[in-house]
Amino acid sequence: MTIYDWPTGPYPARVRIALAEKGLQSRTRFERVHLWKGEHKTPAFRAKNYSGTLPVLELDDGTLIAECTAITEYLDTLDGAPTLTGTTPREKGLIHMMTKRAELELLDPVSVYFHHATPGLGPDVEIYQNADWGLHQRDKALRGMHYFDGILRTQPFVVGETFSMADITVIGGLIFAGLVDLPLPDACDALQAWYATMQERPSVKNRVAMSKPVAAAA
């Protein structure tokens, strides 16, 4: 499999974490698409992903799968033993609900804030910006942080007792918030403690390094 991504990107982080959780790094090669040069918006890359976003998974037969949720679903079921997307109809429903909620209320608003109310990826990539809309979405992201703080005050993970795709999506949102210097509110102490624990998880801690070339043995 080939993953087209950028090592430090918050959306690629979601798939990298899923890869590590499933132990699939050895079956994957990474192809860098330079976000800061706008390579994800070129016609050549849009031929792989019409949306012009990262990451994209390419299978050996040429099949292309975009969107983090879809890629994670594929990876999670490769071994017939899903651990990230649920095993029962109830689990699947709750995980997908909370994953979407994490996108709508946290990750995507931080992204809009970055692209509209900060310099973003620079003038060559950010063709249109609306600062007011970006600041509105920043405030939405902060409300989302309070929401997930409330969830994590009563349970260890976003959907109860088990780490899942929903947790990965919240982690992605907080990674992005860190990149744009959007701090967690002081009142969100449960979310802060949870995120500190998640950052010690090997799949999260090593997400960037997993695509670095391995040095040859002496």
Side-chain angles (χ1 to χ4, degrees):
M1 301 180 290
T2 300
I3 296 285
Y4 296 91
D5 76 354
W6 182 247
T8 57
Y11 288 88
R14 295 171 62 185
V15 168
R16 286 168 170 247
I17 293 167
L19 280 167
E21 291 286 337
K22 298 296 292 185
L24 293 171
Q25 301 98 308
S26 64
R27 296 175 56 180
T28 308
R29 64 180 293 271
F30 292 90
E31 185 76 29
R32 292 191 176 192
V33 179
H34 204 304
L35 285 175
W36 297 92
K37 294 181 179 178
E39 290 178 355
H40 57 305
K41 300 299 184 183
T42 63
F45 185 76
R46 285 186 184 272
K48 293 185 179 295
N49 180 15
Y50 172 81
S51 299
T53 57
L54 299 175
V56 175
L57 170 67
E58 184 171 12
L59 307 183
D60 290 343
D61 66 1
T63 300
L64 294 159
I65 304 175
E67 309 303 334
C68 294
T69 300
I71 296 171
T72 302
E73 187 86 43
Y74 175 82
L75 297 173
D76 199 30
T77 55
L78 275 182
D79 58 2
T83 57
L84 300 174
T85 57
T87 58
T88 68
R90 179 181 181 275
E91 287 178 344
K92 288 180 178 292
L94 289 172
I95 289 170
H96 277 273
M97 176 185 77
M98 294 306 289
T99 297
K100 187 64 175 178
R101 197 164 285 179
E103 290 176 338
L104 291 174
E105 305 300 332
L106 178 57
L107 178 55
D108 292 348
V110 176
S111 178
V112 174
Y113 168 65
F114 170 69
H115 289 293
H116 284 273
T118 80
L121 293 172
D124 293 336
V125 180
E126 308 294 358
I127 298 173
Y128 168 76
Q129 291 186 300
N130 184 325
D132 287 342
W133 177 239
L135 293 173
H136 177 78
Q137 291 296 298
R138 177 202 61 188
D139 294 343
K140 181 178 182 179
L142 292 171
R143 291 193 298 272
M145 292 175 186
H146 283 282
Y147 169 73
F148 286 104
D149 179 74
I151 295 288
L152 292 163
R153 286 184 181 279
T154 59
Q155 57 195 41
F157 298 104
V158 174
V159 186
E161 301 298 318
T162 305
F163 184 84
S164 74
M165 177 170 63
D167 296 280
I168 295 174
T169 309
V170 174
I171 291 167
L174 298 181
I175 289 171
F176 210 157
L179 291 174
V180 299
D181 296 322
L182 183 62
L184 285 168
D186 291 340
C188 294
D189 54 318
L191 182 59
Q192 291 178 19
W194 175 86
Y195 187 42
T197 300
M198 291 300 102
Q199 290 182 84
E200 293 304 312
R201 201 173 179 97
S203 62
V204 180
K205 181 184 290 187
N206 301 322
R207 67 186 186 277
V208 175
M210 71 166 60
S211 61
K212 291 181 180 178
V214 178

